[in-house]
Amino acid sequence: MTKLQNDLEALGLRNGDSLLIHSAFSSLHRKISPKDFIDGVRDILKNGTLLFPTLSWANVTKDDPVFDVNKTPCCTGFLPEFFRASYEGAIRSIHPTHSCAAVGGNAEWFVCDHELDSTPVGANSPFRRLREAKGKILFLGCGSCCNTSMHGVEELAVPPYVFGDKMTYTLTNRDGKTYDKVYTTHGFANTSQNYDRLEALLPEGTVSFGKVLDADCVLMNADAVWNTAYDYMKRDPLYFVTVRDNRS
């Protein structure tokens, strides 16, 4: 077993896990190719499923509201873009701003129905399904503030900042069919996200910290993320954000 795989197992990954990775690939500080890294993770998961967030909100905008599931690049970094565009077998969910790509045993189930949602992280999103599958979320060298699953919790708790305007997007699916769909976007006006506050709140045994190669990592159980964050947000809708005062 390689050092990469030893580190992943020590952190808490196991055969059969469904795993979503948020990443800063440069944090590994090693001469490892993205394919070798992904292959190493899959060797640990074996029959499990590997997912990456392939969000495209920075590329699919009000001025250019066009999303092609096969072509639109993601804005979540080097590793997700390699996975989406170049890793054999990876398939992507259909959503103009908050898609995921997946490979492995349950990949099709994770991504197949995301196009049915009319919000970014709705009931059919891969993020919600990761909760249902009792999967795990790995933050690889990027800190846990970039936790997109928290947007799904916010959609359930409906704090005052979460939803924005409705927009019409033009979507192209895997088969090349193009159609328009209206979505309710996220708002987040005058807020800064502090999702890393969740680390200290999760129950014992549902979060772990360690190194994967040279990257500082956090591993969280997805169902604990959703359950704990929802409980805190219902008591205080602003618990995981800072509201900015923009008055001059």
Side-chain angles (χ1 to χ4, degrees):
M1 187 175 289
T2 67
K3 176 169 174 49
L4 169 64
Q5 293 165 328
N6 279 327
D7 289 350
L8 292 168
E9 282 206 340
L11 195 62
L13 291 183
R14 298 292 180 264
N15 177 12
D17 279 345
S18 296
L19 176 69
L20 173 74
I21 300 180
H22 294 274
S23 60
F25 188 67
S26 62
S27 67
L28 295 171
H29 294 152
R30 301 290 178 105
K31 291 184 177 179
I32 183 171
S33 72
K35 183 181 183 302
D36 286 345
F37 174 82
I38 293 167
D39 286 346
V41 175
R42 293 192 68 198
D43 283 345
I44 295 295
L45 303 182
K46 295 183 172 62
N47 296 323
T49 306
L50 176 62
L51 303 97
F52 282 90
T54 52
L55 280 58
S56 50
W57 54 266
N59 302 317
V60 181
T61 64
K62 184 177 181 179
D63 294 329
D64 188 21
V66 178
F67 173 81
D68 186 325
V69 71
N70 295 313
K71 298 179 181 178
T72 301
C74 67
C75 56
T76 43
F78 172 76
L79 196 57
E81 179 61 10
F82 171 85
F83 184 72
R84 175 204 71 79
S86 303
Y87 193 79
E88 184 176 358
I91 52 177
R92 189 184 195 183
S93 70
I94 297 175
H95 191 281
T97 59
H98 284 68
S99 66
C100 286
V103 70
N106 290 319
E108 185 66 36
W109 175 76
F110 273 104
V111 306
C112 66
D113 292 329
H114 199 183
E115 63 184 306
L116 301 178
D117 287 343
S118 57
T119 62
V121 191
N124 299 290
S125 73
F127 301 98
R128 179 82 71 92
R129 292 194 169 182
L130 190 70
R131 176 196 191 185
E132 295 170 16
K134 297 191 182 302
K136 296 173 181 178
I137 307 168
L138 173 62
F139 301 93
L140 179 82
C142 57
S144 64
C145 199
C146 59
N147 190 350
T148 307
S149 297
M150 290 290 289
H151 296 335
V153 181
E154 289 164 328
E155 288 191 17
L156 290 178
V158 197
Y161 58 82
V162 65
F163 288 119
D165 297 331
K166 290 185 181 295
M167 277 187 58
T168 300
Y169 294 90
T170 299
L171 313 177
T172 301
N173 66 17
R174 288 186 229 168
D175 298 326
K177 178 184 176 182
T178 297
Y179 57 97
D180 289 345
K181 183 169 180 177
V182 177
Y183 286 85
T184 300
T185 64
H186 282 165
F188 300 104
N190 300 325
T191 61
S192 300
Q193 297 160 4
N194 305 119
Y195 299 148
D196 52 342
R197 292 175 180 170
L198 186 62
E199 292 179 9
L201 308 176
L202 292 171
E204 185 177 354
T206 66
V207 59
S208 59
F209 304 87
K211 289 269 193 182
V212 172
L213 301 182
D214 290 337
D216 292 318
C217 294
V218 185
L219 183 69
M220 297 180 178
N221 290 6
D223 59 343
V225 167
W226 284 73
N227 295 339
T228 303
Y230 182 79
D231 286 346
Y232 274 84
M233 209 174 294
K234 290 305 288 184
R235 283 178 266 171
D236 179 0
L238 303 179
Y239 192 90
F240 294 103
V241 298
T242 298
V243 178
R244 299 190 299 270
D245 186 348
N246 287 343
R247 291 176 298 177
S248 58

